[in-house]
Structure formats: structure tokens, C-alpha cells
Amino acid sequence: MSRIAIVSLSISPGDAVGNDALEMHRILSARGHTVGLFNSHWIKKTSCTRDMAELPAFLDDDAEAILLYHHAVGWSAGLSLLRQPTGKRVVKYHNVTPGRFFAGFPGDQQRVCQMGREHLCELAQADCDLYLSDSPYNQDELLDAGASAERCAVVPPFHHIDRLDSVKADPGVLRCLGDGQTNLLFVGRRAPNKGHRFLIDAFAAYHEHYNGDSRLVLVGKEDRHLIDYSNRLREQASRLGVLDCVVFIDGVTESELKGYYETASVFVVASEHEGFCVPVVEAMALKVPIVAYGTSAVPHTVGDAGLLWEEPDPFLLAQSIDTVVRDAGVRRQLTERGWRRYQNLFCNQRIEHAFLQAMRPLLTEPARQRVGIPA
């Protein structure tokens, strides 16, 4: 069996990279491999975590050991690990948000994002054994940076949608938002690349011209370094006269999140940069129709399960939202397509198959028992 170290700068249950790494650990461990999770920043430590200082002893100079590195932000120590010639090396590329989105905000997000983008060329040219990408969009970036096409594979990120689907929706959310108003939902951290300003523009147009009995629900954690960004969004909503109809939700339980999806009429996404966008898949699985600004990885993830526009034109988005809300046939068609797309491409069983298929040439599997030959 193989010895596999899964490494990332930060792993947190609940975010896309953390869920992907933790599920890889579970799947590989269940198949009998010796698997360790290593990183520098644990937000919620789990029983299977290990300190980075233990990594050399874990790998033990084993030429057959596998280092599986998740790249989503700049991390010089992680890049140094991939430069080491011993063992097998795998990169999982989640994409890195361009640093320009964080220009002018406090903290080091602009710096670490710029560093992550700069590291991409070195990662792609490090002659690793395998390059996994969340989406074709991410894979194209790796190929453009110099990665070998023969060593690349697209494997969507693992997620917790099965668990989300099984929990009961929070009664308080259902009571509050199930009041007959039309709810437009977006789920994603409150960061400049997520396009909240386009969402507020589109909602203002929809609220004024199509449906005054509506609200925009923005679910996503607020970063303390980006409080000024949140303030700008509130100022924008106030200027457009819809502040009382825009609901900012800062962090939720799974039960509450389920409630927000169950009370949503449309899932609207206007992100300017996404490497995959797991909430879009959540919307598909929970049968919420999608209206989207189709940039970066969003067109591939959404596919035919939503109404896509190449520009974040607020009036086009508003008209699309109105069509989905009013036309039961369009709504039914989109939700059916979304459910099929989720089942065919993005459910965890499909992702597990793709992941193991890509990893199989590198894994040491147990020898088959020889039947009928005495010991």
C-alpha cells in the first residue's frame, strides 16, 4: 500500500480546499493506504491532522511515497516540497484569486495571491507525476504555464452536499424567509472577486422593474480585513434604495444553509473569478435554478443548468431572474438539468471514481490473493 502525505497551507472543514483534502484522506485511508494530512494553519483541527514538522519522518525518504499538494494560495514552503526529487509528486490546483482584487485592502491577501499566481509556473514546470485540476479552466492555466498534457486530469473538488441534503432546514430560516417574498440567493465568502456589486445592481433592477416584493440574500463569511468591502456594498445598496431588501448573512450552520436554499427562488452568481464554484453545485443538487455571469470556471460548472451571460449586465440578469421566477416551465427545465448535471458529473461518487482513476498509476495496491495455492 502507498504512503500518502496530503499537504496544504490551510485546511478548514467547511471550505472548498479543506473539504477536498479531508475527503481525499478518507477515501485513500479506506482503501488501506497510510495517509497523513499536513499543513501550517489549522482553523478547526481534526483527529487525523499532523504537524508539518512530522512530514519528513512520515515520508521517510520512501521513493514510492506520494506528496499530494493542494495549491490555492502562495506558500513558499509548499513549493519547496515539490522541488525535492524524492518520491512521487501530485499537485491539486484549485486556482488562485488574482491579487488585484484585494488591492487597497489591509492584510496580506493581495501579496499571498500574487505569490500564488507567480508560483503557478514553477509548479507546472516542476515535472510532477500528476496535475489534478478542479475544472478545465484551471487545467488550461496549468497547460499554459507549461504542465505536460499527458500528466493532467480534471477532478472536481469533493464536497459535503450529501450531508447538506440530509439535514433538516433550520425552522427559524424557513419561518423568516418563507413569508411569500421572492428570495434571490448567493452563497460565497464576502470578497471582491465574488462580484457582489454586480449582484446588488442586478437585484436593484429586478426589484424596481419586475418585483418589488423580493429580497437578495448574501450568505458568506466576512473577513475582518475586508470590512471596508462590506461597507461599500451596504453603501451601494443604500444608494440604489434597496438596503432594507438585501440580507447579509455572516456564517451559517448546515441546517441554516439548507434553509436558505429551500427558500430560494433563484441562485444568482456574478463572480469575476472562480476556479470551480461549489455553491453552484449545491444549488443544482438542491434543485434551485441558476442565473449566472459566465466568467472563469463558471460556464463549465453551470453548463446547461442555468441562464448564462457573458457580461454582468444588471438588466439582462434582472430579466433572466424574472423569467425563471415567473415561467414554471423554464424553472422546471433548469432544475431538472441541474439535477442531472450534478448526478452525472459532480456527485461525490463520480468524483471519487475520477480521482482514483487519475491516481491509480501512482498507487501501490495490495497483491491479489492467490486462491488454491497452499502457504
Side-chain angles (χ1 to χ4, degrees):
M1 305 305 289
S2 294
R3 179 176 297 272
I4 306 162
I6 300 174
V7 180
S8 178
L9 172 63
S10 177
I11 298 176
S12 172
D15 79 1
V17 176
N19 288 344
D20 197 35
L22 289 165
E23 193 66 10
M24 286 181 177
H25 178 276
R26 185 194 67 79
I27 288 167
L28 292 169
S29 297
R31 295 179 69 86
H33 301 290
T34 302
V35 190
L37 281 168
F38 300 84
N39 77 346
S40 294
H41 298 84
W42 291 100
I43 298 174
K44 296 179 182 177
K45 199 162 186 177
T46 70
S47 60
C48 57
T49 65
R50 297 172 184 244
D51 191 272
M52 282 295 295
E54 301 177 54
L55 181 59
F58 178 84
L59 294 175
D60 195 29
D61 291 326
D62 181 358
E64 295 301 310
I66 299 171
L67 176 72
L68 201 168
Y69 171 66
H70 288 253
H71 185 63
V73 72
W75 188 30
S76 296
L79 185 61
S80 296
L81 290 172
L82 291 175
R83 291 183 180 132
Q84 298 175 10
T86 57
K88 302 171 184 177
R89 296 162 300 151
V90 178
V91 171
K92 179 63 186 288
Y93 181 43
H94 297 275
N95 215 294
V96 180
T97 305
R100 59 183 171 82
F101 286 105
F102 302 99
F105 293 103
D108 64 351
Q109 292 191 65
Q110 181 179 12
R111 180 186 63 81
V112 296
C113 286
Q114 286 177 338
M115 184 192 306
R117 302 295 300 183
E118 292 165 1
H119 286 174
L120 181 60
C121 284
E122 293 185 65
L123 289 172
Q125 297 172 25
D127 197 32
C128 293
D129 297 273
L130 180 63
Y131 292 92
L132 304 176
S133 297
D134 286 348
S135 63
Y137 175 79
N138 293 1
Q139 180 169 276
D140 286 345
E141 286 196 349
L142 280 171
L143 293 172
D144 288 344
S148 168
E150 291 74 21
R151 298 184 183 184
C152 287
V154 173
V155 177
F158 290 103
H159 48 73
H160 287 170
I161 293 173
D162 294 341
R163 198 164 72 194
L164 180 63
D165 188 41
S166 67
V167 302
K168 290 185 177 180
D170 181 81
V173 173
L174 296 180
R175 184 170 56 253
C176 181
L177 296 187
D179 58 358
Q181 286 198 43
T182 298
N183 298 310
L184 314 184
L185 176 66
F186 173 68
V187 178
R189 71 189 189 99
R190 214 171 303 160
N193 63 297
K194 296 296 183 178
H196 294 88
R197 61 194 178 102
F198 299 133
L199 290 176
I200 293 173
D201 280 343
F203 171 69
Y206 174 73
H207 189 77
E208 178 180 355
H209 298 288
Y210 296 99
N211 185 355
D213 195 22
S214 58
R215 63 167 71 90
L216 175 63
V217 182
L218 302 174
V219 177
K221 293 181 181 179
E222 180 178 75
D223 188 312
R224 62 187 178 87
H225 295 299
L226 297 173
I227 290 175
D228 187 48
Y229 175 68
S230 292
N231 290 337
R232 293 179 193 178
L233 297 177
R234 290 186 172 91
E235 290 169 2
Q236 177 189 1
S238 178
R239 186 173 65 254
L240 294 171
V242 294
L243 180 59
D244 292 341
C245 304
V246 179
V247 183
F248 293 88
I249 307 296
D250 184 16
V252 293
T253 65
E254 286 186 330
S255 179
E256 290 168 339
L257 182 59
K258 180 71 169 292
Y260 290 119
Y261 276 112
E262 283 198 2
T263 55
S265 297
V266 187
F267 186 88
V268 189
V269 56
S271 293
E272 294 182 78
H273 183 270
E274 294 282 356
F276 180 76
C277 199
V278 170
V280 163
V281 179
E282 292 175 346
M284 292 178 191
L286 298 175
K287 299 182 179 178
V288 182
I290 299 161
V291 172
Y293 167 35
T295 186
S296 53
V298 172
H300 168 75
T301 306
V302 173
D304 64 353
L307 302 182
L308 281 165
W309 295 101
E310 294 182 358
E311 298 293 334
D313 184 301
F315 297 101
L316 285 176
L317 292 173
Q319 187 178 47
S320 297
I321 292 166
D322 180 60
T323 298
V324 172
V325 170
R326 286 191 304 103
D327 192 322
V330 170
R331 184 181 180 85
R332 182 174 59 253
Q333 187 178 53
L334 292 179
T335 55
E336 288 175 353
R337 287 177 179 175
W339 175 247
R340 285 198 300 270
R341 189 166 181 81
Y342 168 68
Q343 290 290 323
N344 293 335
L345 296 177
F346 300 134
C347 68
N348 277 330
Q349 292 86 346
R350 295 285 187 181
I351 297 171
E352 179 175 347
H353 176 76
F355 174 60
L356 292 175
Q357 281 287 103
M359 291 288 294
R360 183 165 286 117
L362 306 181
L363 296 172
T364 302
E365 300 287 356
R368 294 179 180 176
Q369 288 188 334
R370 303 171 78 182
V371 180
I373 300 178

